[in-house]
Amino acid sequence: MMNVHLMHNNSASNRPVLEVANLKKHFVIGKSFFGGKPLTKLKAVDGVSFAIGAGKTLGLVGESGCGKSTVGKTILRLYNPTEGSIRVLDQEISALKPKAMRDVRRSLQMIFQDPYASLDPQMTVGRIISEALEIHGLPKGQSHASRVKELLSLVGLDPVVANRRPKEFSGGQRQRIGIARALAVEPKVLVCDEPISALDVSIQAQVINLLQRLQDELGLTYLFIAHDLGVVRHFSDRVAVMYLGGIVEIADRDRLYADPLHPYTKALLSAIPVPDPDVEQQRRRILLRGELPSPLNPPLGCRFHTRCPFATDRCREEVPALVAVAPGQEVACHYWQELRGVEGRPNQSILETEK
Amino acid sequence: MMNAHVRTEASEAARPASSLLEVKNLTTEFRTERGTVRSLHSVSFGLGEGEALGLVGESGCGKSVTALSIMGLLPQPAGRIVSGEILFNGVDLTKLSDREMEAVRGKDIALIFQDALTSLNPVLTIERQITEAARRHLGLSPAAARRRAIEFLDLVGIPAPDKRISDYPHQFSGGMRQRVMIAMALVCGPRLLIADEPTTALDVTIQAQILELLQRLRKELSMALIMITHDLGVVAGIADRVNVMYAGHVVETGMVRQIFKNASHPYTAGLLGSIPKLDSIRGSKLQSIKGTPPDLANPPPGCPFTPRCSHAFDKCAEPPPRSSPEPAHAAECWLLEAGVNTADSRGLS
Ligand SMILES: Nc1ncnc2c1ncn2[C@@H]1O[C@H](COP(=O)(O)OP(=O)(O)OP(=O)(O)O)[C@@H](O)[C@H]1O
Ligand SMILES: Nc1ncnc2c1ncn2[C@@H]1O[C@H](COP(=O)(O)OP(=O)(O)O)[C@@H](O)[C@H]1O
Ligand code: SF4
Ligand code: SF4
Ligand SMILES: [Mg+2]
Ligand SMILES: [Mg+2]
């Protein structure tokens, strides 16, 4: 009995539970009724690929506007993909009709950054959670009420709160309610879009501990979107770094933090403030010049070349492919080998980097 | 052993020799529909010339109200300073008239906010906004004010400042607007800059640029800085000294290493434990603090941290005194007063 169970688990964990390949989402903006002006394409996500095994966590990091949420929402089919494949539990879902998608959402759920906006203020907490059960045609009546209680206890809330409304709760408690709602249908995969960014530090730790316990208890698979590299490191098995709609590096978490290969990953890691004065006051930051280019008009060649301290003419023309460079590590830079161990040009004055 | 715990005048010990700013027993309240909210409870701290003080704590703990109280910018008529003194160069700012305070603001003490987009006037050029203060406070001619503005835009790293000075705020990115705000704050040469979450709205690579800039300017202009942030990493990099605030109280104050390496207050220790360490084991449990901060309209009696504190005992129903475990370091906790080292007892719990 035990053996069968283990074998089953093993064979399952060899296959990715969530797999996206060459995923693209282009938004058409500046629609003009007068025909004169050409439509502009905003390539929010432009060819993203990754796979996550059962019970594992992939962290997705990058700066504001790089396309993290768009990846998450496209996987949930809240947006229709422009191109590419999305496989959930071995089923291709990128072209499913809404009705078929509803069944898929029983295994695939999302929790959002803003615990204030994502819960209907008119509904009681119990109603919010039981609605999720009804949408998916789960048994009604008495069993609903007891399931709601069970879910509230699971996320560390007192079941008596079921008849209160969201405004009576703090940010951290609302995030727990959002998690309970997502878990109502017993999903296998959870896309967490910055679930703790809006919370205070001490509450962040509570929610991280909760998500981790739920993963252990329920065997959940997470796509964990965040901009805090410290939290991602704590939480993830693998980490993907995005820049302007594409993944520039993806690696097992220890590799990525110990031996980052892409110049952007290096800069990002060196920019996180560490809560240790000895580390902070000694360290040399890699200061990137300038700011994120507009995704409406991304740089040609390597998207990072306008800010990369090492860019050459080749970088301005030729797009570097994401290639496997070590077991479990892929990077998209023409010069990753030459730059191995090179930190960038730290301690440059900002004036130099700006001009 | 007991001698190390000097109970009296702990704040004296933590005070630098040459004091630019002295906040003494500052209590600030707001009248709200839910009753009176006491946002600051007898807050005391000092700041020396050229020193950088970090003000940390979770949202609502009173960081911004501290800044607004010093600047005389509490929203009227809801907010008011109930008692206490704010001595700047020996002058009590709470006693100044609006007109006198106007002269201090921007000239001697400058404030920058989290959100540069809403703090800049969208319909005025950068030139108008930045020269206004220079003309008013320094009495410069329009041409001289323009020259000075360009010089400061250059100082904060705006490329081609002589051209960009004619632009409007929306023509600048978020990071550049924050630089413009900093240039505006500095143009009159203040002795003290208060920065209220100046990088919270920015991305981490842009935040790194701004922090580096603030560090450099502080040294070049030998200006004191109060850095308000909820990010302990930011404080670790920039502050000489740190005040940890909780529910309107400064619960711990000390040199930056004392706070990070030898935290004495259970709240400080809990905050530090809540942040994932770079060398943490994947999946290890974070220390975290149970519960949430108290409602300031209805605070617990005694130590404000009691409902969340795993060390709380019967004495905590009374307000804890300030005790000093070592020179320059003080905290408001009964454990310290009793001579118990929180760091040791933490290991046991
Ligand atoms: N519905 C939409 N219509 C048009 N453009 C969009 C839409 N949603 C997102 N975008 C654009 O796509 C790009 C990626 O946005 P996305 O929300 O995925 O970023 P993100 O990485 O999640 O950023 P943040 O860290 O700020 O949450 C941005 O340029 C954004 O303005
Ligand atoms: N204009 C206001 N009216 C009423 N209460 C206020 C006002 N501004 C701040 N407060 C209250 O004062 C306390 C401290 O707020 P603040 O200093 O803004 O916190 P933070 O530490 O996040 O900057 C909070 O309880 C807040 O609700
Ligand atoms: S390809 Fe060139 S521009 Fe892009 S990251 Fe590598 S070195 Fe920099
Ligand atoms: S005084 Fe008591 S409740 Fe307050 S921090 Fe110290 S031990 Fe905890
Ligand atoms: Mg997002
Ligand atoms: Mg504030």
Side-chain angles (χ1 to χ4, degrees):
Chain A
M1 176 69 210
M2 206 45 207
N3 273 345
V4 175
H5 188 69
L6 278 180
M7 274 177 60
H8 177 77
N9 258 350
N10 272 340
S11 61
S13 65
N14 287 337
R15 312 203 59 114
V17 169
L18 173 66
E19 190 173 13
V20 307
N22 194 31
L23 187 69
K24 294 187 181 177
K25 177 64 197 173
H26 297 172
F27 294 105
V28 176
I29 59 172
K31 247 181 204 144
S32 154
F33 290 106
F34 305 103
K37 193 165 136 210
L39 300 182
T40 321
K41 262 198 202 132
L42 189 153
K43 299 181 179 176
V45 175
D46 203 28
V48 159
S49 307
F50 57 78
I52 318 177
K56 300 288 185 195
T57 300
L58 174 71
L60 187 60
V61 299
E63 292 175 279
S64 191
C66 70
K68 306 180 296 295
S69 298
T70 306
V71 168
K73 288 178 182 164
T74 310
I75 289 171
L76 264 285
R77 295 281 315 277
L78 302 175
Y79 294 144
N80 283 324
T82 305
E83 203 182 306
S85 135
I86 307 165
R87 296 182 73 83
V88 177
L89 298 166
D90 271 334
Q91 184 187 7
E92 175 63 50
I93 66 159
S94 56
L96 287 185
K97 296 271 180 306
K99 194 156 174 290
M101 242 344 264
R102 198 188 303 158
D103 291 336
V104 172
R105 291 214 183 94
R106 280 202 59 176
S107 9
L108 178 64
Q109 286 282 316
M110 185 154 179
I111 50 181
F112 296 91
Q113 167 169 359
D114 188 349
Y116 297 90
S118 57
L119 300 175
D120 185 337
Q122 304 303 324
M123 288 200 224
T124 64
V125 168
R127 187 77 200 104
I128 287 171
I129 296 170
S130 58
E131 189 191 49
L133 295 167
E134 279 162 32
I135 289 173
H136 293 281
L138 297 175
K140 268 199 176 161
Q142 185 55 40
S143 60
H144 258 191
S146 62
R147 178 84 180 119
V148 167
K149 288 205 173 101
E150 199 178 297
L151 285 160
L152 287 171
S153 323
L154 184 66
V155 299
L157 290 171
D158 186 335
V160 303
V161 305
N163 44 33
R164 302 211 196 131
R165 281 168 224 280
K167 71 164 197 300
E168 295 176 52
F169 295 90
S170 67
Q173 290 172 318
R174 287 183 215 198
Q175 203 52 285
R176 289 175 194 263
I177 296 167
I179 295 169
R181 176 179 57 184
L183 293 179
V185 296
E186 298 180 39
K188 298 283 181 293
V189 185
L190 220 49
V191 173
C192 309
D193 190 2
E194 310 235 19
I196 57 163
S197 305
L199 307 175
D200 268 321
V201 180
S202 75
I203 314 297
Q204 285 190 355
Q206 296 171 356
V207 174
I208 293 171
N209 285 343
L210 170 66
L211 287 171
Q212 233 152 22
R213 176 169 64 77
L214 293 172
Q215 181 165 48
D216 292 346
E217 284 174 15
L218 309 173
L220 296 171
T221 301
Y222 289 143
L223 174 61
F224 186 80
I225 299 173
H227 62 261
D228 183 332
L229 281 129
V231 169
V232 166
R233 180 188 170 110
H234 181 81
F235 203 76
S236 309
D237 299 289
R238 275 170 77 67
V239 178
V241 181
M242 275 186 87
Y243 188 80
L244 274 188
I247 291 180
V248 297
E249 182 160 6
I250 179 166
D252 295 341
R253 78 152 206 167
D254 287 334
R255 273 207 85 82
L256 189 96
Y257 286 81
D259 188 18
L261 295 178
H262 196 282
Y264 180 63
T265 314
K266 294 178 191 178
L268 208 53
L269 284 174
S270 93
I272 336 167
V274 180
D276 180 336
D278 291 334
V279 177
E280 259 320 287
Q281 295 179 0
Q282 300 292 315
R283 83 203 281 216
R284 293 142 59 87
R285 283 187 206 291
I286 305 168
L287 291 175
L288 291 179
R289 67 185 113 129
E291 318 214 357
L292 274 176
S294 158
L296 275 176
N297 190 14
L300 298 175
C302 174
R303 291 186 197 86
F304 185 54
H305 85 243
T306 55
R307 300 176 79 197
C308 181
F310 307 105
T312 66
D313 285 341
R314 181 179 173 204
C315 305
R316 286 180 265 275
E317 283 152 21
E318 196 183 318
V319 179
L322 188 67
V323 291
V325 297
Q329 188 164 22
E330 295 167 44
V331 61
C333 168
H334 295 309
Y335 300 111
W336 68 269
Q337 260 164 318
E338 291 85 338
L339 296 175
R340 190 158 210 164
V342 179
E343 288 205 336
R345 297 187 297 157
N347 272 5
Q348 258 174 322
S349 104
I350 293 173
L351 293 177
E352 262 176 69
T353 51
E354 275 293 320
K355 286 172 179 173
Chain B
M1 166 74 214
M2 272 316 277
N3 271 351
H5 294 271
V6 194
R7 223 196 101 167
T8 52
E9 298 307 316
S11 53
E12 282 310 328
R15 198 167 293 157
S18 67
S19 226
L20 177 69
L21 179 75
E22 288 262 10
V23 175
K24 290 188 183 167
N25 304 316
L26 181 67
T27 297
T28 299
E29 289 182 350
F30 286 94
R31 263 186 307 258
T32 70
E33 68 241 37
R34 300 194 310 124
T36 303
V37 172
R38 180 163 287 197
S39 298
L40 298 181
H41 289 253
S42 194
V43 162
S44 300
F45 61 91
L47 182 66
E49 293 274 2
E51 205 183 10
L53 172 72
L55 225 58
V56 299
E58 298 177 271
S59 66
C61 69
K63 305 183 295 295
S64 298
V65 170
T66 304
L68 295 175
S69 301
I70 294 171
M71 295 297 284
L73 289 175
L74 287 171
Q76 296 299 327
R80 73 184 180 101
I81 293 174
V82 180
S83 59
E85 293 173 20
I86 302 169
L87 301 175
F88 182 74
N89 275 330
V91 177
D92 187 353
L93 300 182
T94 65
K95 301 246 158 41
L96 297 188
S97 68
D98 288 352
R99 173 177 276 258
E100 288 166 323
M101 199 55 217
E102 188 72 34
V104 172
R105 256 197 309 269
K107 178 155 191 313
D108 299 314
I109 311 179
L111 175 65
I112 51 179
F113 296 99
Q114 166 170 350
D115 192 349
L117 181 55
T118 52
S119 311
L120 290 168
N121 187 332
V123 300
L124 296 181
T125 62
I126 299 300
E127 175 168 0
R128 269 293 293 283
Q129 304 190 49
I130 208 169
T131 54
E132 200 259 350
R135 293 179 60 185
R136 183 157 41 99
H137 289 303
L138 305 179
L140 297 181
S141 70
R146 186 184 149 89
R147 276 198 303 278
R148 189 165 170 95
I150 291 172
E151 185 190 318
F152 275 81
L153 287 174
D154 189 52
L155 187 69
V156 299
I158 300 286
D162 50 330
K163 298 198 181 59
R164 300 304 305 263
I165 194 169
S166 316
D167 285 352
Y168 289 87
H170 73 262
Q171 291 167 281
F172 284 66
S173 68
M176 284 168 80
R177 280 194 291 256
Q178 199 54 277
R179 286 166 194 257
V180 170
M181 285 293 297
I182 294 171
M184 245 164 92
L186 299 184
V187 75
C188 296
R191 310 275 298 287
L192 168 62
L193 175 67
I194 304 178
D196 190 353
E197 311 251 8
T199 59
T200 302
L202 303 175
D203 272 315
V204 56
T205 62
I206 310 299
Q207 164 170 288
Q209 295 171 352
I210 299 291
L211 291 177
E212 202 82 14
L213 173 68
L214 282 173
Q215 269 302 38
R216 178 168 67 78
L217 292 175
R218 186 166 81 78
K219 294 204 180 98
E220 282 176 15
L221 309 174
S222 47
M223 168 182 75
L225 173 70
I226 297 182
M227 177 63 132
I228 298 180
T229 173
H230 63 270
D231 187 332
L232 288 158
V234 168
V235 167
I238 210 163
D240 303 315
R241 288 191 314 120
V242 178
N243 282 355
V244 181
M245 295 190 70
Y246 188 78
H249 298 255
V250 174
V251 294
E252 182 160 6
T253 179
M255 305 305 291
V256 66
R257 279 189 179 69
Q258 297 175 326
I259 298 292
F260 282 86
K261 307 282 180 184
N262 190 23
S264 291
H265 196 284
Y267 175 64
T268 312
L271 263 191
L272 289 167
S274 295
I275 311 168
K277 300 290 168 297
L278 276 177
D279 54 2
S280 73
I281 314 291
R282 143 130 176 101
S284 61
K285 203 162 169 252
L286 292 173
Q287 203 187 312
S288 95
I289 307 174
K290 67 183 181 205
T292 51
D295 174 6
L296 292 187
N298 192 12
C303 171
F305 193 53
T306 316
R308 303 179 74 190
C309 182
S310 52
H311 304 287
F313 59 114
D314 45 3
K315 254 191 160 172
C316 306
E318 302 285 324
R322 234 183 205 211
S323 320
S324 187
E326 56 187 325
H329 187 180
E332 292 179 1
C333 170
W334 282 113
L335 289 177
L336 273 179
E337 204 264 351
V340 179
N341 186 329
T342 323
D344 297 345
S345 53
R346 221 183 307 147
L348 294 175
S349 71

